[in-house]
Amino acid sequence: MSAGSTDSPDGRVPAADAPAPPGTLPRGVVVLLGTAAAVVTAAGIRSFAEIVGPVFLALVLTIAVSPLRRSLLRRGVKGWLAGLIALVVVNAFLLGVAAMLAFSVAQLAGLLPTYQEKFAELVADTRGWLADRGVGPEQLEAALRKFDLGKLFDTLQGWLSGLLGIFSVLAFIVAVLFFMGIDAVDFPDRLRRAAQVKPDVITALIGFTRSTTRYLIVSTVFGVIVAAFDVAVLYVLDIPLPWLWGLLALITNYIPNVGFFIGVIPPALLALLDQGWGALLWVIVAYSVINFIIQSIIQPKVVGDTVGLSTTLTFLSLVFWAWLLGPLGAVLAIPLSLLVKALLLDAAPSTHWLAGLISGGPLPEETPPAEPAELPPDEVAAEQVG
């Protein structure tokens, strides 16, 4: 054996030096190509955000109402009638939320100009308080010039209007919901045929709809509870527009990590303008206590591992989807991430090992590919996806 030989004692070439199988790209090239494809895909989605966002919202709403449709099917209701009832319910919910939000924002727009004088008094008091503590008049004037009530509430109204802009394409969303409701009627047969060819993909999509349904149910229940407590507190403190802030608390409950801060800032600022610093502190304290007890202690225990995303990935998902789709992306960040996870990881057995890294839980054991016969019954599986 020569000095430069790398053969093992038994004459075999070590695995590290073994040539790659024919037609297999190096791992670095695969990573670069995948990254480039992801960038191009993200740019394309952002270019069509006004279409992608509402379509995915319609899909999520269709998934959300699927338990009602399945319940009607189990009670012997015909498929077309169950789909029609589910469609009426989800459209009534969507139109009701849009009407409440539009009415509340209109009330807010009429209320804000009445606080101009109160804001001027607040600025004068703040200026005197800072001057007594050695803040120079030049520094104070520079800071006050940058802080303007009109700009502050323009920002607030802009955010609420952006949220309301979700419903500016209401006709489009209703139309998409209608067609999705029609497709859901005969979706079981299509699902069975697809499962014969790609059982792993169908299983991953079913997992996505199950996780999304659980997430929506839990988030909605706890969002309603939090909103009810917030409205009660605001009524006790006599803060204007309590129902608007309750609705905002419900919507922001779907925004992970930072939803609480988005929901508490507007009523706290309005409390400051309406009643002073004491009311602002009471609103912040009450919201913080409610959020800590319900959303930080109780809700995570109920949700458990339903989402299957680590805390860090959840926050990064929020940032990414909000950048990509705007306010609607922030609200739908979790379902969007679950869909990407299902398509890119869960649908391929070779990437199942990444589930433990993403969820922060234990690595899943290797399981054989799912057989079509093991899929849920058609009325359950189809409605989960449809």
Side-chain angles (χ1 to χ4, degrees):
M1 183 181 298
S2 62
S5 176
T6 59
D7 291 344
S8 59
D10 57 2
R12 293 181 298 177
V13 177
D17 298 332
T24 301
L25 294 175
R27 186 176 301 275
V29 176
V30 173
V31 171
L32 290 175
L33 291 176
T35 303
V39 171
V40 172
T41 302
I45 292 176
R46 192 174 187 186
S47 300
F48 294 94
E50 295 181 355
I51 297 177
V52 175
V55 168
F56 193 78
L57 175 61
L59 174 62
V60 169
L61 291 174
T62 304
I63 293 173
V65 80
S66 61
L68 172 62
R69 189 165 51 240
R70 294 197 305 271
S71 177
L72 293 173
L73 289 174
R74 286 194 296 267
R75 285 170 171 77
V77 179
K78 293 184 178 180
W80 66 268
L81 182 57
L84 179 61
I85 294 174
L87 185 63
V88 170
V89 169
V90 72
N91 278 297
F93 169 79
L94 186 64
L95 294 174
V97 172
M100 290 174 59
L101 195 58
F103 177 74
S104 299
V105 170
Q107 282 187 311
L108 178 64
L111 181 64
L112 291 181
T114 63
Y115 288 107
Q116 290 287 348
E117 184 177 348
K118 180 69 175 180
F119 178 72
E121 295 177 2
L122 183 63
V123 170
D125 294 340
T126 304
R127 178 184 301 174
W129 184 85
L130 292 174
D132 293 340
R133 281 152 182 81
V135 178
E138 296 180 358
Q139 296 173 326
L140 185 60
E141 290 296 333
L144 290 176
R145 281 195 299 268
K146 296 179 181 178
F147 185 79
D148 179 57
L149 178 65
K151 293 181 180 180
L152 174 65
F153 281 110
D154 282 346
T155 302
L156 173 60
Q157 283 188 277
W159 193 91
L160 292 174
S161 298
L163 193 60
L164 185 61
I166 297 171
F167 302 101
S168 64
V169 290
L170 204 56
F172 176 65
I173 297 175
V174 170
V176 176
L177 280 171
F178 175 76
F179 291 116
M180 286 185 177
I182 293 177
D183 288 337
V185 175
D186 60 348
F187 201 78
D189 293 334
R190 291 188 240 173
L191 187 68
R192 284 200 304 271
R193 289 195 295 268
Q196 300 295 326
V197 181
K198 295 290 184 180
D200 290 319
V201 175
I202 300 303
T203 302
L205 291 177
I206 292 174
F208 154 70
T209 55
R210 284 174 174 169
S211 298
T212 302
T213 301
R214 296 191 196 105
Y215 167 75
L216 292 174
I217 291 174
V218 172
S219 296
T220 301
V221 170
F222 281 98
V224 170
I225 295 173
V226 169
F229 278 108
D230 290 343
V231 170
V233 168
L234 295 176
Y235 263 114
V236 171
L237 297 176
D238 197 24
I239 306 301
L241 305 178
W243 289 105
L244 170 60
W245 311 129
L247 180 61
L248 181 62
L250 172 61
I251 295 175
T252 55
N253 190 62
Y254 296 101
I255 303 177
N257 303 120
V258 301
F260 163 74
F261 301 100
I262 298 174
V264 71
I265 291 175
L269 291 177
L270 193 58
L272 171 64
L273 293 175
D274 190 68
Q275 301 180 27
W277 292 100
L280 178 141
L281 292 177
W282 275 113
V283 169
I284 294 177
V285 169
Y287 266 64
S288 299
V289 171
I290 294 171
N291 176 78
F292 178 75
I293 294 176
I294 297 179
Q295 295 177 315
S296 300
I297 297 178
I298 301 176
Q299 184 172 345
K301 293 182 179 179
V302 176
V303 175
D305 297 329
T306 296
V307 175
L309 298 174
S310 65
T311 305
T312 302
L313 189 59
T314 299
F315 177 74
L316 293 177
S317 298
L318 165 67
V319 175
F320 175 76
W321 292 114
W323 169 76
L324 207 61
L325 300 177
L328 185 56
V331 175
L332 299 176
I334 296 298
L336 283 163
S337 298
L338 290 175
L339 178 60
V340 172
K341 175 176 174 287
L343 294 177
L344 298 184
L345 301 182
D346 297 341
S350 60
T351 57
H352 284 179
W353 62 274
L354 285 171
L357 299 179
I358 289 179
S359 65
L363 293 176
E365 297 181 359
E366 287 293 332
T367 56
E371 296 294 335
E374 295 178 357
L375 291 173
D378 55 356
E379 72 171 26
V380 177
E383 295 302 323
Q384 287 281 359
V385 177

